Amino acid sequence: MTIRVLLADDQPLVRAALRMVITDADDLELVGEAGTGTEAVRLTAELAPDVVVMDIRMPGLDGIEATRQITAGGGPSQVIVLTTFDEDDYVYGALRAGAAGFLVKDMALEEILAAVRVVAAGDALIAPGVTRRLITEFADRPAAGSARRTVSGITDREREVLVLVGGGRSNTEIAEQLNLSIATVKTYLSRLLAKLDARDRVQLVIIAYEAGLVSA
């Protein structure tokens, strides 16, 4: 399967670097480029890419609001946001807006391609390493005026899985810790997504933090 990618970044050099590695990959196809958030929303509606790689800081409509508009439409496109870890304080907002994950701009280009493939496969960028560090840094910062979320209607085992997902554990790590098969872990995740009305794994992480099940 060829993964169709849209790049959204106001820096031409960043787009050029990503364009080079995407066009060199046999399983990826660059279908469009946007220099603003408004253009990213419009091109996503027109082209329906599998993955949108979205910069957070862009003139006019920023990456967070662009992500919110894209995901609110209920289309098939998944969004990965780009951030500079030392500067951006917007990652939590991007996750709440429906992003499937986020990348740090100083990551190796091959790591960015791997992340695109992960998201295109229906997973999210909640993993050990830099992603876990970012999640623990930002995910326990509630939105202004929000109350602690209550999680109800799930079983004790589902709650255990939710806690581990919130802690950044992979399916394999959850299976090993709870002595379950990976297929069973995936079943629990599917149930959690349905019961908690969550779009993807990233939103499960947010729910776990908002409910106080996990702390940074």
Side-chain angles (χ1 to χ4, degrees):
M1 182 186 72
T2 300
I3 301 169
R4 304 172 72 251
V5 181
L6 173 69
L7 295 179
D9 197 301
D10 64 330
Q11 298 181 42
L13 288 178
V14 174
R15 294 203 309 271
L18 290 171
R19 182 194 311 127
M20 178 181 64
V21 293
I22 289 173
T23 53
D24 283 346
D26 293 336
D27 60 335
L28 303 180
E29 176 189 0
L30 182 63
V31 297
E33 297 183 32
T36 67
T38 300
E39 191 177 11
V41 173
R42 177 180 62 81
L43 288 177
T44 300
E46 291 178 3
L47 302 173
D50 298 306
V51 177
V52 180
V53 180
M54 178 86 71
D55 186 24
I56 286 184
R57 293 186 176 184
M58 289 186 288
L61 191 71
D62 65 22
I64 294 177
E65 182 57 33
T67 297
R68 183 177 293 109
Q69 292 186 21
I70 289 171
T71 59
S77 301
Q78 299 290 326
V79 180
I80 301 175
V81 297
L82 285 171
T83 180
T84 304
F85 179 66
D86 291 335
E87 299 176 0
D88 289 326
D89 196 19
Y90 307 116
V91 175
Y92 187 47
L95 296 181
R96 291 180 63 86
F102 53 91
L103 306 177
V104 181
K105 283 189 174 181
D106 61 1
M107 290 173 64
L109 292 175
E110 285 302 319
E111 291 181 311
I112 293 178
L113 294 189
V116 169
R117 295 181 178 105
V118 167
V119 168
D123 208 339
L125 295 179
I126 306 299
V130 63
T131 304
R132 182 178 293 170
R133 187 177 77 246
L134 288 170
I135 286 291
T136 55
E137 173 70 19
F138 292 106
D140 65 339
R141 300 185 182 185
S146 65
R148 170 156 289 189
R149 180 168 185 151
T150 300
V151 173
S152 59
I154 64 174
T155 67
D156 291 341
R157 178 62 89 183
E158 288 166 351
R159 186 177 295 270
E160 287 180 312
V161 172
L162 179 60
V163 169
L164 293 174
V165 170
R169 302 298 191 273
S170 67
N171 288 355
T172 300
E173 290 172 325
I174 294 172
E176 291 175 352
Q177 186 161 341
L178 298 182
N179 196 26
L180 301 171
S181 69
I182 293 179
T184 301
V185 171
K186 291 181 178 179
T187 297
Y188 281 124
L189 289 173
S190 296
R191 292 175 182 172
L192 285 168
L193 290 171
K195 290 182 177 182
L196 300 178
D197 193 26
R199 173 186 171 94
D200 52 33
R201 194 185 190 99
V202 170
Q203 289 197 336
L204 289 180
V205 173
I206 294 173
I207 290 170
Y209 276 94
E210 289 183 336
L213 299 178
V214 182
S215 61

